[in-house]
């Protein structure tokens, strides 16, 4: 049996798509959870639906400190420094996690404030093109990957017991809402999401523009490949920029690999006998590998089991940090027992 | 009322996804249609399902000539020269169309053989990542764009009556299977599909490779944006190459615009304060324009009406060719009365 008992209440800061959905799921699972949203109108909507929510940051953090809650920073990157400062002031003993889609920059902000002993980074890989409380929903995280970082565990061996206890609670929280926890160090996380999340946005934006440049005829002829290839260009520009611009180094590496492939294809297209065999064969093999891995070939009935390998272990037991690093390398999900 | 009465039998050469689906729909609509497939096993499957099909090219073309059928070349580009030569030999009086996804190269092959008076180019914008007779299905073309070219009408005014009659039958055939006919000249068609169909393939192949380069962790974290962005990389490599390599000039133009956008984004990512505002804002606006045009915002109940403007006209009536050029510019569908 996987344990999903979180040892403390949860306090969610920011009730957008991710924070709002987390609040809904934890409430539904009968875990004590309360939230805060800066915009009073969204806070009122959430309260109107019966959720325990306020629009006062001071109030919510004072309460979190009083009940030793696990604080979840569920806002985009630009709000993080302010929230960290508020936590330092009003909830100086609480452990916290976040859901920002880049992890190195957040860890840097945390370290600058000397708060690393009570921080565990997180990133749920769930989302839609919509955002805000109205987009939040039950079961958003079911089967989704939820990265939980463990860099602090590599700084000292063993890491502080207080940090290990926080780490376990973050894992339990993600598991409780149906996510699959993938452990990763911040640098490896950021390199991975640059490839599979941030780069797709750059390509989708570019494709949308080049299609649009073709005028009415091109847009009228656009079918599935254009629709799918541009879908995430419909995401709120501010969110896309926040992700990509704060992961600039890793994104540059992924972008340069892409430019090399496209420039090479370009050169081959100008040959007397144009051939893009290399790109197409290699891209096809990569996609098939991904499909096999993600279990997409199991038919229409959905997935009966997660396609990700699983590693079960006990935090704090001998070798547990090596097991984490091993799981990270495999992209495996972990189960804590 | 739109007329969909085709004035002659239809003969489909090649029973893959497109040809097979066309054969199914025309048979179901009680129009006389017969087909040919080079692979005897697929021909046997189709015959076993009750379709009027042979694996002899000579037989099928002799029959087409005898009953003055409209011949549809429903194979990928590489088979087209052989089929044109066979038509010249065995069905020297039949009119014909094709479904190849590039149009200039096909027209060139047709003109080389002096067959332009009995050719009307076509391109149904329907498809899946699967191919072959087993992938063919009823209603594949419903609501899809079906480009019908009209270059021959611009060569002489008025164009030969025999050609106009053929052109009308091709339009009726596409309409009869539920497609929306968009008129276009081959050059404009090829430029448009380079942007919205061939470029998406190059980007999908590249993204699949760069994601794969990230190893198990990256693939494990991949979610919707990667899945959608790489979907068409799962298409058969031979089909992707046939499309892209025969549309090299137009594809190069679209690719160069893309490279310019990505190189510009790259430069901005290396700034001290990375910003990709220009790309993201412009990409977002383009996608929203496309969504508005394609009627994606009309809710879950599907589309009640086509999002494409419609132009109704009578072929051969004064000014009909100007109306075609006007429809082309608007990406409008046409209805013949």
């Amino acid at each position: 049996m996987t344990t999903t008992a979180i040892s403390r209440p949860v306090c969610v800061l920011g009730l957008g798509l991710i924070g709002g959905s987390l609040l809904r799921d934890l409430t539904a699972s009968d875990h004590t959870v309360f939230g805060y949203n800066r915009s009073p109108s969204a806070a009122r909507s959430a309260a109107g639906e019966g959720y325990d929510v306020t629009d006062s940051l001071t109030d919510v953090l004072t309460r979190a400190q009083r009940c030793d809650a696990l604080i979840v920073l569920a806002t985009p990157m630009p709000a993080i420094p302010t929230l960290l400062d508020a936590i330092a002031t009003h909830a100086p003993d609480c452990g916290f996690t976040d859901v920002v889609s880049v992890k190195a920059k957040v860890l840097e902000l945390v370290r600058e404030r000397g708060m690393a002993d009570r921080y565990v980074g997180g990133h749920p890989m769930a989302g839609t093109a919509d955002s805000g409380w109205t987009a939040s929903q039950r079961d958003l995280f079911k089967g989704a990957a939820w990265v939980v970082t463990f860099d602090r565990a590599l700084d000292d061996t063993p890491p502080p017991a207080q940090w290990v206890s926080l780490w376990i609670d973050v894992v339990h929280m993600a598991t409780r809402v149906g996510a699959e926890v993938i452990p990763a160090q911040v640098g490896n996380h950021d390199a991975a999401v640059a490839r599979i999340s941030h780069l797709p946005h750059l390509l989708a934006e570019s494709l949308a523009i080049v299609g649009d440049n073709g005028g009415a005829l091109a847009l009228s002829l656009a079918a599935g490949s254009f629709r799918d290839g541009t879908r995430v260009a419909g995401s709120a520009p501010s969110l896309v920029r926040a992700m990509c611009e704060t992961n600039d180094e890793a994104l540059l590496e992924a972008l340069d690999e892409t430019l090399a492939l496209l420039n090479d294809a370009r050169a081959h297209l100008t040959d007397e006998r144009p051939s893009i065999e290399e790109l197409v064969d290699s891209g096809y093999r990569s996609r098939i590998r991904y499909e096999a891995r993600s279990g997409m070939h199991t038919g229409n009935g959905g997935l009966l089991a997660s396609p990700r390998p699983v590693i079960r272990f006990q935090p704090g037991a001998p070798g547990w940090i090596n097991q984490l690093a091993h799981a990270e390398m495999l992209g495996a999900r972990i189960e804590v027992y």
Side-chain angles (χ1 to χ4, degrees), chain A residues 183-198:
Chain A
Q185 297 167 65
V186 300
N188 293 334
H189 167 276
D190 288 358
V193 296
R195 291 172 186 276
I196 54 84
S197 172
H198 304 164

Side-chain angles (χ1 to χ4, degrees), chain A residues 17-18 21-22 25 99 122-128 137-148 170-183 189 193 196 290 294 303 305-309 331-335:
Chain A
L17 175 66
I18 299 293
S21 300
L22 182 63
D25 279 354
V99 301
H123 179 205
M125 308 290 297
T128 68
Q137 53 188 269
R138 287 287 313 281
D139 294 332
L140 179 70
F141 308 108
K142 213 153 235 178
W146 190 312
V147 173
V148 177
V170 172
V171 169
H172 283 169
M173 181 181 74
T175 308
R176 193 173 180 104
V177 297
E180 303 191 345
V181 172
I182 318 283
H189 167 276
V193 296
I196 54 84
Y290 162 68
S294 58
L303 288 174
S306 166
R308 297 185 183 96
R333 66 201 161 98
I334 51 170
E335 284 183 5

Side-chain angles (χ1 to χ4, degrees), chain A residues 17-314:
Chain A
L17 175 66
I18 299 293
S21 300
L22 182 63
L23 181 81
R24 288 180 191 275
D25 279 354
L26 288 175
T27 303
S29 80
D30 282 330
H31 186 76
T32 304
V33 55
F34 52 97
Y36 153 81
N37 201 68
R38 197 181 50 169
S39 130
S41 69
R44 255 196 316 275
S45 295
E49 290 183 47
Y51 293 103
D52 187 355
V53 162
T54 173
D55 63 2
S56 161
L57 183 57
T58 311
D59 285 0
V60 86
L61 290 178
T62 307
R63 179 175 170 190
Q65 169 72 13
R66 208 166 51 227
C67 65
D68 188 30
L70 162 58
I71 299 173
V72 182
L73 288 77
T75 66
M77 178 63 96
I80 297 293
T82 310
L83 289 182
L84 289 177
D85 292 339
I87 290 172
T89 307
H90 300 291
D93 299 310
C94 289
F96 59 93
T97 184
D98 73 312
V99 301
V100 177
S101 58
V102 295
K103 301 266 60 78
K105 290 271 160 78
V106 177
L107 182 56
E108 196 182 307
L109 294 169
V110 167
R111 281 187 172 146
E112 281 168 13
R113 288 162 177 78
M115 296 166 93
D117 277 355
R118 50 198 187 102
Y119 170 68
V120 169
H123 179 205
M125 308 290 297
T128 68
D130 300 318
S131 51
W133 167 257
T134 51
S136 70
Q137 53 188 269
R138 287 287 313 281
D139 294 332
L140 179 70
F141 308 108
K142 213 153 235 178
W146 190 312
V147 173
V148 177
T149 65
F150 61 94
D151 300 62
R152 181 67 191 84
L154 301 169
D155 295 343
D156 311 303
T157 314
Q162 167 213 13
W163 181 87
V164 174
S165 145
L166 171 67
W167 191 88
I168 293 172
D169 268 347
V170 172
V171 169
H172 283 169
M173 181 181 74
T175 308
R176 193 173 180 104
V177 297
E180 303 191 345
V181 172
I182 318 283
Q185 297 167 65
V186 300
N188 293 334
H189 167 276
D190 288 358
V193 296
R195 291 172 186 276
I196 54 84
S197 172
H198 304 164
L199 176 62
H201 278 93
L202 293 192
L203 299 182
E205 309 283 7
S206 304
L207 178 57
I209 295 167
V210 175
D212 199 19
N213 288 349
L217 179 62
L219 293 186
S220 183
L221 298 186
S225 62
F226 187 76
R227 187 172 56 240
D228 287 357
T230 59
R231 185 181 59 83
V232 292
S235 310
S238 60
L239 298 181
V240 176
R241 290 184 55 193
M243 287 194 302
C244 294
E245 293 170 2
T246 48
N247 197 20
D248 51 327
E249 280 177 40
L251 182 52
L252 271 173
E253 195 177 321
L255 180 54
D256 282 345
E257 285 181 28
T258 310
L259 286 168
L261 290 168
L262 291 175
N263 280 318
D264 194 53
R266 192 202 182 285
H268 282 104
L269 275 174
T270 58
D271 285 349
E272 200 186 335
R273 216 177 231 288
S275 166
I276 51 168
E277 179 173 9
E278 216 173 299
L279 177 71
V280 174
D281 282 0
S282 172
Y284 176 75
R285 282 197 305 274
S286 293
R287 166 72 191 188
I288 295 303
R289 209 147 34 225
Y290 162 68
E291 287 180 11
R293 231 201 115 87
S294 58
M296 294 174 102
H297 277 326
T298 53
N300 294 325
L303 288 174
L304 290 173
S306 166
R308 297 185 183 96
V310 60
I311 291 185
R312 303 188 67 236
F313 76 109
Q314 199 165 9

